[in-house]
């Protein structure tokens, strides 16, 4: 290989590496709403079982995983990892999910969203995750042509507290919770579909996940604050079609969260599919090592095909 060819090859290779790494983009092009500069630092660590765990999110981002163009079917899923609104199980319920979607031709976009407990958040802590969620889906829609997506096939997916955030977006997409920053904010924040995996839905005491409730609205919230973010109370005929999955023996987020939401969706004639497994507990994600649960992703992909 002569010097000129070698140089060209290295430049192309370097460009490809940069492109592969350039998958993370900031949510907010200007000032981040409801946030001030503090000495607080974002923390990325590994739990005892090896999960990437992020707390004190300071700069919310999108991490974009696109399938090969020949495999792409035009669908995209914006993913909200869980973590009780205290942290984010970022790979377990985020990037690994995006890669699994890619294998079926679906784009997966993981949102690193802000958490209400951060000291840098100045006010309206209960709507800060919704601000990031609305901005995330609008930003993805604005990139539809660039990323080879169908603009009417962009949905959302959330796990546990991330499921609460997804269902909040799916029921509060018209709420104005931040000021316009650019042309992306002129787009609708309504998802085309929702995928809710062992989701927190209600903040009502009897069925809620206590940690998520306290993180989001505090120890002694007003009734209005609880009702606003009890998403079964805000379903309408315009709520997006929804896929629900839960385990009956979930002792962290009671299965009643899913059944409450299913009943509300059915009442308003929203197309809905619900799968409830007798066992599985909480936080199983892809469940690849559970013979009884690992088929759930095939059920999901079958459902996604029905949306065409």
């Amino acid at each position: 290989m002569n010097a000129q060819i070698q140089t060209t090859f290295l430049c192309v290779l370097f460009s490809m590496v940069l492109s592969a790494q350039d998958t993370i983009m900031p949510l907010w092009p200007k000032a981040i709403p409801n946030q001030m500069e503090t000495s607080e630092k974002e923390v990325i660590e590994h739990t005892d079982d090896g999960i990437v765990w992020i707390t004190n999110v300071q700069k919310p981002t999108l991490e974009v995983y696109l399938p090969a163009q020949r495999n792409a079917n035009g669908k995209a899923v914006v993913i909200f990892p869980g973590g009780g609104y205290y942290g984010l199980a970022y790979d377990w319920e985020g990037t690994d999910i995006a890669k699994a979607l890619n294998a079926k031709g679906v784009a997966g976009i993981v949102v690193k969203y802000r958490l209400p407990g951060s000291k840098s958040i100045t006010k309206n802590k209960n709507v800060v995750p919704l601000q990031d969620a609305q901005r995330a889906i609008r930003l993805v829609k604005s990139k539809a042509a660039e990323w080879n997506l169908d603009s009417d096939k962009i949905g959302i997916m959330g796990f546990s507290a991330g499921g609460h955030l997804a269902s909040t977006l799916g029921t509060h997409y018209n709420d104005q919770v931040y000021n316009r920053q650019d042309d992306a904010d002129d787009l609708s924040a309504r998802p085309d579909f929702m995928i809710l995996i062992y989701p927190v839905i209600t903040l009502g005491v009897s069925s809620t996940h206590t940690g998520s409730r306290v993180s989001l609205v505090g120890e002694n919230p007003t009734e209005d604050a609880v009702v606003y973010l009890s998403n079964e109370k805000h379903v309408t005929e315009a709520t997006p079609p929804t896929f629900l999955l839960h385990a009956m023996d979930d002792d962290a987020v009671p299965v009643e969260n899913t059944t409450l939401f299913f009943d509300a969706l059915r009442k308003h004639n929203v197309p809905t599919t619900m799968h409830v497994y007798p066992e599985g507990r909480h936080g199983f994600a892809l469940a690849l090592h559970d013979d009884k649960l690992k088929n759930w992703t095939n059920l999901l992909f079958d459902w996604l095909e029905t949306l065409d």
Side-chain angles (χ1 to χ4, degrees):
M1 182 181 293
N2 64 39
Q4 183 177 359
I5 294 175
Q6 185 177 28
T7 300
T8 301
F9 174 77
L10 290 174
C11 287
V12 170
L13 182 62
F14 183 64
S15 175
M16 289 173 65
V17 169
L18 284 180
S19 177
Q21 291 177 340
D22 189 21
T23 58
I24 299 176
M25 58 191 303
L27 272 185
W28 301 99
K30 300 178 182 177
I32 301 172
N34 288 350
Q35 186 152 314
M36 63 181 177
E37 291 291 332
T38 70
S39 59
E40 184 178 48
K41 302 296 184 183
E42 183 170 301
V43 178
I44 302 175
E45 54 193 343
H46 287 81
T47 65
D48 290 342
D49 47 3
I51 294 172
V52 174
W53 180 249
I54 301 178
T55 54
N56 297 330
V57 173
Q58 299 297 299
K59 295 181 179 179
T61 59
L62 296 182
E63 185 161 356
V64 183
Y65 290 81
L66 301 178
Q69 188 168 347
R70 290 183 63 183
N71 289 330
N73 58 26
K75 292 188 177 76
V77 176
V78 180
I79 304 163
F80 303 102
Y85 284 119
Y86 169 74
L88 301 177
Y90 193 73
D91 55 350
W92 182 246
E93 295 172 344
T95 55
D96 279 8
I97 307 300
K99 294 169 189 176
L101 291 168
N102 280 184
K104 293 292 187 177
V106 180
I109 298 101
V110 184
V111 186
K112 186 177 72 174
Y113 57 91
R114 288 174 294 158
L115 303 158
S118 172
K119 294 173 181 153
S120 62
I121 295 171
T122 57
K123 59 182 180 179
N124 301 326
K125 293 177 180 287
N126 61 321
V127 298
V128 161
L130 178 59
Q131 290 175 329
D132 288 353
Q134 284 190 359
R135 175 66 187 177
I137 194 165
R138 286 176 170 137
L139 190 55
V140 172
K141 287 183 176 183
S142 76
K143 299 289 186 180
E146 179 182 338
W147 293 345
N148 196 33
L149 308 177
D150 288 343
S151 58
D152 59 351
K153 294 181 180 178
I154 298 172
I156 57 177
M157 183 179 197
F159 296 77
S160 193
H164 183 268
L165 179 53
S167 67
T168 303
L169 177 58
T171 53
H172 295 272
Y173 53 84
N174 276 331
D175 295 7
Q176 185 175 352
V177 293
Y178 67 88
N179 294 324
R180 181 185 187 277
Q181 293 205 359
D182 58 21
D183 290 347
D185 290 326
D186 296 331
L187 301 172
S188 170
R190 182 186 183 275
D192 293 303
F193 54 88
M194 291 195 289
I195 304 163
L196 307 179
I197 312 301
Y198 40 86
V200 178
I201 295 292
T202 187
L203 297 190
V205 173
S206 61
S207 297
T208 194
H209 175 245
T210 303
S212 296
R213 173 183 159 118
V214 171
S215 295
L216 198 57
V217 295
E219 294 278 359
N220 298 295
T222 65
E223 182 63 21
D224 286 347
V226 170
V227 169
Y228 180 68
L229 291 174
S230 291
N231 295 323
E232 78 280 6
K233 298 181 182 295
H234 302 285
V235 172
T236 70
E237 286 73 12
T239 301
T242 302
F243 178 97
L244 292 159
L245 180 75
H246 221 117
M248 286 180 65
D249 65 348
D250 190 328
D251 56 2
V253 177
V255 70
E256 284 79 10
N257 283 269
T258 282
T259 57
L260 276 171
F261 204 58
F262 176 81
D263 288 343
L265 293 163
R266 183 176 60 175
K267 178 181 177 182
H268 289 88
N269 298 311
V270 176
T272 308
T273 292
M274 178 174 65
H275 297 280
V276 176
Y277 285 80
E279 297 177 352
R281 302 182 72 83
H282 189 71
F284 50 77
L286 290 170
L288 296 180
H289 300 297
D290 188 320
D291 289 339
K292 295 179 180 178
L293 279 174
K294 65 182 181 182
N295 188 56
W296 79 261
T297 53
N298 291 326
L299 299 174
L300 171 61
F301 292 126
D302 289 346
W303 178 77
L304 285 173
E305 290 183 4
T306 70
L307 300 178
D308 291 335

